[in-house]
Every structure is written in C-alpha cells, then in structure tokens.
Amino acid sequence: MQRGTVAHAYLFTGIPGIGKMSVARSLAKALTCSSGSKADFCDACTSCLMINGETHPDLHIIEPDGDFIKISQVRTMQDRLLYTHFLDRYRLVLIDRAEAMNLQSANCLLKTLEEPPENTVIILLTSFPYRIPATIRSRCQRVVFHPLPSRMIEEMLQELRGPTASDVYRLSSRLAGGSLGRALRWQESGILQQRKRLLALVAGSAHSLLNAIFDFADELGEDREALRELLDLLRMWIRDVMIAKGGGATADLLNIDCADRAMHMARTLSWPRLFQQDLLVADAQSALQGPANPKLAMEQLLLMLSPTPGNRGAGPVLQSNAALTL
Ligand SMILES: [Zn+2]
C-alpha cells in the first residue's frame, strides 16, 4: 500500500484466525518502517521490530478488558493521540474484537472518527461487524477477509510447520473452516486427537463406554476453551453423518479420517435422532457460555448422545437427572 493513499479508519472483518491482526500489523509496519520503502516494510529496522514486539510508541492496541472494551481504554488512546507523536510517521490504533465496545466506548470512539487526527490510522478488527454501530461502520473503509480455501491452508501449514504426515494437515485444513489460525492452534493443542476419542464415545465404540465417558469429562472438564472447540467439532461430525445419510460421497465429508464410521453411523441413526443430537450439542454449547459446570454438562451430553445401556441410541431425550443416575 502506497503511503498517502491510506484511509483514516478501516474495518477488518472475517472469521477468527483468518489473519486480520497479521495484516493490521503488516500495515502498521509498512506505514512506520524507516527503511525508506514506500510500499513495503523491511521487518528489520528499529521501527518494524518495535511493532513486532508491541513496544512501538506510535502503536496503540486496544483489546477487551474482560467482556468489554471500556470507555476508559478509548479515552487513554485519545489522550495518547492528543499529546504524543514520537517518530514523525504514522500513528496506528488497532482495536481488536471491536464488537466488544459498549455503547459509551463506541460513542467516545466516534468523536475521533469524526475528526480524525493527522497521520493516524485506526483499524477495527471484528468477526461480528453487525454488532458495531452503523455510525462507526460508515466512517471506516471495510476490508473483508474471506475464509481461505482448505487447499491453501494445507499448503500454509506445510510451509509454517514443516512437513509431517500430510493427512494431519489435510484433516485440519478441512475442519478449520477457512481459518488458518485455528488450524495452526490445533497442531499444538492436540484437540484433533481428543476429537477422535470423543467420536468413539458418541458412536459407542469406546471400550467400557460409561467409564470412558466419565474419564473424558473428568480430564477435559476444567478446560472450557477445549470443550467449546470440541463441541464445534462434534457438530461438524453430526453434519458429516447427515451428509453421508443424504447419500453424499466420502469426498464431501470433513472428518476424512473417520469416513467409514460416518457411513456406518448414517445407516444406524434415524433422521430424527440426528437432528436431536445436533440440538443436544447446541444446548450444551449455550450452557457452556453461561455458568454451567462444564464437567457435568459434558457428562450429561455424552450420556445422552452415546448408545449407553439406558439410552439405546435412538430413544427419546433423557431428562438430565435420569442421565446422571444411569
Ligand atoms: Zn522496517
């Protein structure tokens, strides 16, 4: 991007992990780099290094403090813009998860957007643009980040993480739904292996099923983040079984390592049962957003999903207490 053609404010939108923050940082470097390049950055000068380390005095990053971006955070940023301009180039404000601004913060930011200071670029990043007031959106130039094709994610994983059994990357790239960040995170977290265990529980193919369910809930019960991720993956699995049941080909499935099992489940489960399973997982997802005990929520869910002795796979939804006294 050539200097002199930048807008005062941008709204970067797209799913989490798609690269919005990386691009925002690159733009910050391009606008402050001291190497003299007009369109790029060197990634080696003091300025670039300070942007990388988030220590650049003309870079201000705001992210939610708890659930919200508070008005005090916006005011601190505005004070900095009023009084300081260190390196005589651009100043940048990055507002991550900008949808977390409450009404007061948004109104406060609006003043800056209405009278943008010289040589200042404000970038709002969000996966939920419709939650940002229209008055703010209309003052920003929108940049949409589309989900990446799974083929591209697979290639980027090879490049960033080095060669490995290529089917691991192929699987992650299909399940990641266009988010490179998510695929990268999975390489470290081992969540895809947990997914496989989870699928065995739901299919009822795990050894000593009831014990296996309680062990699983015990191990992961404290980790809300992992559970959220696993429930997302579980819904993708149910989607796969539905596709298989609808006559879809193996190539249409996301869980390519469990295609045979998906085909088998498709023959075993009725349509009502499949929709019921999806609903049960959706309910558990909402429960995890609230104060529910994650371990108990997971136990309950798995007892209702799996073909445990009291459940038989196709029966009506068990009441939660009934599920717990199995
Ligand atoms: Zn540089």
Side-chain angles (χ1 to χ4, degrees), residues 33-35 41-45 48:
C33 179
S34 48
S35 72
F41 57 90
C42 69
D43 226 7
C45 70
C48 284

Side-chain angles (χ1 to χ4, degrees), residues 16-299:
I18 190 81
K20 300 185 293 294
M21 189 46 104
S22 314
V23 172
R25 281 169 201 275
S26 297
L27 179 59
K29 283 188 270 188
L31 292 174
T32 56
C33 179
S34 48
S35 72
S37 161
K38 279 201 156 52
D40 209 349
F41 57 90
C42 69
D43 226 7
C45 70
T46 320
S47 180
C48 284
L49 294 176
M50 283 195 294
I51 298 271
N52 285 343
E54 292 184 11
T55 55
H56 198 297
D58 288 329
L59 171 71
H60 193 98
I61 298 181
I62 298 179
E63 45 193 29
D65 176 9
D67 289 339
F68 296 105
I69 290 174
K70 295 172 182 148
I71 189 168
S72 56
Q73 295 175 270
V74 178
R75 286 204 175 120
T76 306
M77 175 273 287
Q78 286 170 331
D79 286 348
R80 269 180 70 170
L81 290 185
L82 271 181
Y83 300 117
T84 52
H85 200 153
F86 287 90
L87 297 180
D88 202 26
R89 291 186 199 93
Y90 275 93
R91 293 178 300 183
L92 284 115
V93 177
L94 311 188
I95 306 182
D96 196 15
R97 283 167 284 159
E99 74 280 357
M101 282 186 294
N102 56 26
L103 199 60
Q104 290 90 332
S105 317
N107 283 334
C108 187
L109 176 68
L110 194 57
K111 288 180 207 137
T112 307
L113 294 175
E114 282 167 347
E115 287 169 43
E118 284 273 284
N119 290 340
T120 301
V121 177
I122 298 171
I123 307 175
L124 285 76
L125 303 94
T126 185
S127 301
F128 307 98
Y130 51 88
R131 291 191 198 158
I132 294 176
T135 43
I136 291 203
R137 273 184 278 144
S138 66
R139 284 179 171 79
C140 300
Q141 187 172 322
R142 177 101 169 244
V143 181
V144 181
F145 289 67
H146 295 285
L148 300 170
S150 62
R151 183 101 211 129
M152 192 187 279
I153 293 186
E154 196 180 331
E155 282 166 15
M156 287 165 106
L157 286 175
Q158 304 264 15
E159 201 177 305
L160 294 166
R161 288 289 184 267
T164 184
S166 65
D167 44 350
V168 175
Y169 290 158
R170 189 165 321 124
L171 176 67
S172 331
S173 63
R174 290 190 75 118
L175 289 169
S179 165
L180 176 66
R182 203 173 190 202
L184 282 169
R185 201 165 64 237
W186 285 346
Q187 303 310 310
E188 267 96 60
S189 69
I191 206 91
L192 292 179
Q193 283 72 32
Q194 300 292 12
R195 168 205 59 118
K196 220 163 172 180
R197 255 179 91 193
L198 178 63
L199 299 190
L201 296 176
V202 174
S205 60
H207 195 60
S208 334
L209 185 55
L210 282 180
N211 285 336
I213 286 176
F214 291 125
D215 287 349
F216 188 85
D218 239 5
E219 268 175 53
L220 287 155
E222 298 305 313
D223 192 347
R224 268 176 197 269
E225 203 41 56
L227 288 182
R228 260 197 282 272
E229 199 99 271
L230 282 167
L231 292 185
D232 265 356
L233 288 164
L234 191 48
R235 292 191 80 180
M236 291 186 220
W237 165 251
I238 295 170
R239 169 234 179 242
D240 271 1
V241 180
M242 286 181 178
I243 289 202
K245 196 166 184 65
T250 313
D252 300 326
L253 305 183
L254 300 172
N255 294 272
I256 41 176
D257 58 336
C258 300
D260 289 346
R261 179 176 282 157
M263 294 294 173
H264 173 73
M265 296 299 285
R267 286 190 295 274
T268 318
L269 297 176
S270 66
W271 279 113
R273 175 64 178 157
L274 273 173
F275 281 105
Q276 183 199 45
Q277 287 199 334
D278 191 55
L279 198 64
L280 288 169
V281 183
D283 283 349
Q285 285 177 316
S286 340
L288 279 183
Q289 304 285 351
N293 177 323
K295 179 175 163 255
L296 284 181
M298 202 62 187
E299 272 176 14

